[in-house]
Amino acid sequence: MAQKEKSVDEVIKEHEASGKYFDVDGIKTFALKYGRGEPVLCLHGVPTSSFLYRKVLRSLEKKGYKGVSIDMPGLGLTDRPDNFDYSFSNLADFLYKAAKVLKLKKFHLVVHDVGGPIGFALAARHANRIMSLTVLNTWVDVVNFKKPVVMRPFEKRVLGEAELKMISHVTWPVMFKQMGVVNSSRISTSEINAYVDLLKREDNGKAFLKIMRNFDHSKEFRDLCYKAVQTKEYPVQAIWGAKDPALQLETYGEEIKKVAGLKEVHTLRSRHFLQEEAWLGIADKVIDLAQSVQLKTAKKEV
């Protein structure tokens, strides 16, 4: 007898129950935190949350690492204050404070989507805390970055609100399958639609629109992002969903390869939400890099 599929509410309740809430400057903040061992902090982008990393974190846990992902203000289960500064720079500072509250003194950092530039700012400002940096489908040249066509309406007043209203349990699964993954057969419809409810929640996505209208295109911020991937204090690698139609490997994968001076970009057979179907490949590469750091440290101590 086939097992009945969970409802969206059940999926979100299970997700919430598997994480924890904590306070950061008066903001009720949510995080998933699985396992023990060296911490791996995974930063999400838009329109997602820590929910995107649930499989990656479980895989890290099984391999003896502590997988952590924090919902940024305005997304997922974290609060959405009206008076919060939703700029990339301030979100980077918020996540650093959140990591301190969670007692993550040093950690391996994984970034994706807008979590890329946000994470680069965090890493550049606090390089002594970063053990390694893994870059998933994102961008680093913020000055010349142009949003993918599907995301541009959110920049505009009225048009952005109308576009957001159109994201529903009917339309999102179609977008998810076209933009997010190559094979959705192992992801339930309720899991896919959980993204919609985690995006909108009590403010109906207003904070998300503030994030979309606060992208930093300044040269100063680009210098900060470049500093994060050009540092010699920790190793950097890039892993790409090779079939991403929004942040294409040929453009943005090559961009990070050039700026960071990487020999290669590791590719996985997926689209933009590679964490949903290629989580094992991501976890394995993150652990490979973490172990290379451990080996290097051990050699220094001999």
Side-chain angles (χ1 to χ4, degrees):
M1 186 175 177
Q3 190 174 8
K4 182 182 176 183
E5 183 177 312
K6 296 171 187 172
S7 68
V8 175
D9 284 345
E10 287 171 330
V11 168
I12 292 176
K13 282 179 182 176
E14 285 188 6
H15 168 64
E16 184 175 21
S18 69
K20 64 174 287 184
Y21 286 100
F22 58 104
D23 182 271
V24 182
D25 288 347
I27 295 174
K28 187 180 179 182
T29 306
F30 178 82
L32 292 183
K33 189 172 69 165
Y34 301 149
R36 296 174 178 270
E38 286 187 353
V40 180
L41 177 60
C42 301
L43 304 189
H44 67 82
V46 291
T48 63
S49 66
S50 61
F51 183 73
L52 176 63
Y53 279 105
R54 64 199 186 282
K55 301 172 186 175
V56 175
L57 301 189
R58 287 298 190 196
S59 294
L60 292 169
E61 178 186 28
K62 289 177 181 176
K63 297 290 182 73
Y65 287 79
K66 180 190 294 181
V68 183
S69 186
I70 302 164
D71 285 359
M72 297 184 203
L75 295 165
L77 296 171
T78 291
D79 280 350
R80 304 161 181 230
D82 287 336
N83 59 348
F84 187 80
D85 173 5
Y86 289 97
S87 67
F88 284 4
S89 183
N90 194 54
L91 286 167
D93 289 341
F94 177 89
L95 288 167
Y96 174 66
K97 291 175 185 176
K100 284 183 71 178
V101 174
L102 293 176
K103 295 181 170 54
L104 306 182
K105 293 182 180 179
K106 288 195 170 188
F107 48 88
H108 302 281
L109 184 63
V110 180
V111 302
H112 177 248
D113 194 80
V114 305
I118 291 168
F120 296 149
L122 187 163
R125 290 169 180 161
H126 308 284
N128 61 317
R129 301 272 185 153
I130 310 301
M131 299 171 75
S132 72
L133 174 60
T134 296
V135 181
L136 311 178
N137 300 45
T138 186
W139 67 97
V140 68
D141 182 358
V142 299
V143 172
N144 295 302
F145 177 70
K146 290 183 174 59
K147 290 190 182 83
V149 173
V150 70
M151 302 302 280
R152 288 177 198 168
F154 297 119
E155 296 175 340
K156 310 293 183 183
R157 304 284 175 185
V158 181
L159 184 60
E161 281 76 4
E163 181 82 0
L164 184 58
K165 193 173 182 179
M166 288 175 63
I167 296 178
S168 69
H169 288 187
V170 175
T171 61
W172 175 250
V174 177
M175 294 172 63
F176 185 89
K177 291 171 185 178
Q178 290 176 341
M179 305 290 293
V181 296
V182 170
N183 181 6
S184 63
S185 65
R186 296 175 66 185
I187 312 164
S188 71
T189 302
S190 293
E191 285 178 295
I192 293 171
N193 278 328
Y195 285 96
V196 178
D197 291 17
L198 286 167
L199 169 65
K200 297 192 174 184
R201 294 191 65 74
E202 68 275 5
D203 75 338
N204 208 28
K206 288 180 182 177
F208 158 72
L209 291 176
K210 290 178 182 178
I211 295 171
M212 295 304 294
R213 293 163 183 168
N214 266 291
F215 280 36
D216 194 329
H217 298 284
S218 70
K219 182 181 181 299
E220 292 75 19
F221 194 74
R222 180 175 66 181
D223 289 345
L224 201 60
C225 291
Y226 279 19
K227 181 182 177 183
V229 300
Q230 292 174 344
T231 179
K232 301 299 181 185
E233 296 182 53
Y234 51 79
V236 178
Q237 69 176 344
I239 307 169
W240 226 260
K243 296 183 178 294
D244 189 342
L247 297 178
Q248 302 92 343
L249 171 66
E250 298 77 12
T251 301
Y252 299 101
E254 287 300 313
E255 176 183 281
I256 191 69
K257 180 182 176 183
K258 180 179 178 182
V259 173
L262 304 177
K263 292 181 180 179
E264 63 178 326
V265 175
H266 305 292
T267 58
L268 297 172
R269 188 176 180 273
S270 187
R271 295 194 170 105
H272 189 62
F273 298 139
L274 61 164
Q275 298 93 328
E276 277 285 6
E277 62 180 343
W279 68 91
L280 290 174
I282 296 168
D284 285 347
K285 287 295 182 186
V286 169
I287 290 168
D288 285 346
L289 193 61
Q291 290 177 341
S292 75
V293 174
Q294 292 168 357
L295 184 61
K296 188 175 180 181
T297 302
K299 285 182 178 178
K300 281 183 179 179
E301 292 174 351
V302 172

